[in-house]
Amino acid sequence: MAISYPLTLPTVTGIQSVNFIARNSVGTTASPFTYQQQVFKNQGQRFEADVTLPPMKRADAEVWNTFFIKLYGSFGTFLLGDPNAATPRGTASSSPGTPLVNGASQTGDTLNIDGVPASQTGYLKAGDYIQLGSAATARIYKVLDDADSNASGEVSLTIYPDLRSSPSDDAIVIVTSAVGLFRLTTPTHNWSISSDGIYSMTFGAAEAIWVEI
């Protein structure tokens, strides 16, 4: 049976801990004489995650084991979000409206949206997440500043990372349980089994960034 990517994380256990990383490609050179620096910000930006799963018995462990093996190391993809930030801190948690991309050809670290309740202070708060696309096109972005809606239900969001591509006008913006497309950072999957039959697993993941052709 063919495997269809992206996979969805198993739900037989939660996640014990996760270390999220916002990685940036920055070039730096320094004079060996004066220590004066030249710094250049490249386009590369992505989220990474180091995840520890809770101790578990074999029944749950084999669900995770087969999930990882189906990925064939870094080949396959899966969906991952911040498990502690599925619900936004802003008013979008209770009154999201129908947020949509407001205008085509948007690029960079700003995304204009509309379709949200009018005149909301803190519709999304700094640190909340949004999602554009779904399945293989899912991209996750972190909101960097508190964002209010105007009287027309429009909001301007400052986000990280920069938009991967320009979303179409009226594309759906997901503000709850946002996920992005990730792949494992190693070609192997390891699991440990203690003498009392308890399984331990960790894994590293990084955003899957496709070449736009």
Side-chain angles (χ1 to χ4, degrees), residues 10 34 40 42 44 74 77 91 127 141 144 149 157 159 178 189 193:
T34 66
F40 184 79
N42 299 305
S74 302
T77 57
T91 62
Y141 299 94
L144 300 185
S149 65
L157 303 175
I159 58 173
H189 166 59
I193 311 171

Coordinates of all heavy atoms in Angstrom, one line a residue, residues 10 34 40 42 44 74 77 91 127 141 144 149 157 159 178 189 193:
P10 N 0.9 10.7 15.5 CA 0.0 9.8 16.3 C -0.5 10.5 17.5 O 0.1 11.5 18.1 CB 1.0 8.7 16.7 CG 2.1 8.7 15.7 CD 2.2 10.1 15.3
T34 N 40.4 45.0 13.8 CA 39.5 46.0 14.5 C 38.3 45.3 15.1 O 37.6 45.9 15.9 CB 39.1 47.1 13.6 OG1 38.2 46.5 12.6 CG2 40.3 47.8 12.9
F40 N 25.2 40.1 7.1 CA 24.2 40.1 6.0 C 23.1 39.0 6.3 O 23.4 37.9 6.6 CB 24.9 39.7 4.6 CG 24.0 39.7 3.5 CD1 23.6 40.9 2.8 CD2 23.4 38.5 3.0 CE1 22.8 40.9 1.8 CE2 22.6 38.5 1.9 CZ 22.2 39.8 1.3
N42 N 20.5 36.6 5.0 CA 20.1 35.8 3.9 C 18.6 35.5 3.9 O 17.9 35.8 4.9 CB 20.9 34.6 3.7 CG 22.4 34.8 3.6 OD1 22.8 35.5 2.7 ND2 23.2 34.3 4.5
G44 N 17.2 32.6 4.1 CA 16.9 31.3 4.8 C 16.3 31.6 6.2 O 16.9 32.2 7.0
S74 N 14.5 11.3 6.2 CA 14.1 12.7 5.8 C 13.3 12.7 4.5 O 13.0 13.8 4.0 CB 15.4 13.5 5.6 OG 16.2 13.6 6.8
T77 N 7.2 13.5 4.8 CA 6.9 14.7 5.6 C 5.7 14.4 6.5 O 4.9 13.4 6.3 CB 6.5 15.8 4.6 OG1 5.4 15.4 3.8 CG2 7.7 16.2 3.7
T91 N -8.2 37.6 20.8 CA -9.7 37.4 20.8 C -10.1 36.4 19.7 O -11.2 35.9 19.7 CB -10.4 38.7 20.5 OG1 -10.0 39.2 19.3 CG2 -10.0 39.7 21.6
G127 N 3.2 36.0 19.4 CA 3.5 34.6 19.8 C 2.4 33.7 19.3 O 2.7 32.4 19.3
Y141 N 3.3 30.1 10.5 CA 3.9 31.4 10.8 C 3.6 31.8 12.2 O 2.5 31.6 12.7 CB 3.4 32.4 9.8 CG 3.7 32.1 8.3 CD1 2.7 31.4 7.6 CD2 4.9 32.4 7.7 CE1 3.0 31.1 6.2 CE2 5.2 32.1 6.4 CZ 4.2 31.4 5.7 OH 4.5 31.1 4.3
L144 N 4.4 38.2 15.3 CA 5.5 38.8 16.1 C 5.0 40.0 16.9 O 5.7 40.5 17.8 CB 6.6 39.3 15.1 CG 7.3 38.1 14.4 CD1 8.5 38.7 13.6 CD2 7.7 37.0 15.3
S149 N -7.8 44.5 14.8 CA -8.6 44.7 13.6 C -9.2 46.1 13.5 O -9.5 46.7 14.5 CB -9.7 43.6 13.5 OG -10.7 43.8 14.5
L157 N -0.6 41.6 9.8 CA 0.2 40.8 10.7 C 1.6 40.8 10.3 O 2.0 40.8 9.1 CB -0.3 39.3 10.6 CG -1.8 39.0 10.9 CD1 -2.1 37.6 10.5 CD2 -2.1 39.4 12.3
I159 N 4.9 38.6 10.6 CA 5.0 37.2 10.8 C 6.5 36.7 10.6 O 7.3 37.4 10.1 CB 4.1 36.4 9.8 CG1 4.5 36.8 8.4 CG2 2.7 36.7 10.1 CD1 3.8 36.0 7.3
A178 N -2.7 25.6 14.4 CA -1.9 25.8 13.2 C -0.8 24.7 13.1 O -0.2 24.4 14.1 CB -1.3 27.2 13.1
H189 N 15.9 6.3 12.6 CA 15.0 6.4 13.8 C 15.4 5.4 14.8 O 15.7 4.2 14.5 CB 13.5 6.0 13.4 CG 12.6 5.8 14.6 ND1 12.4 6.7 15.5 CD2 11.9 4.7 14.9 CE1 11.6 6.3 16.5 NE2 11.3 5.0 16.1
I193 N 14.6 0.7 24.9 CA 13.7 -0.1 25.7 C 14.4 -0.5 27.0 O 15.5 -1.0 27.0 CB 13.3 -1.4 25.0 CG1 12.8 -1.1 23.6 CG2 12.2 -2.1 25.8 CD1 12.6 -2.4 22.7

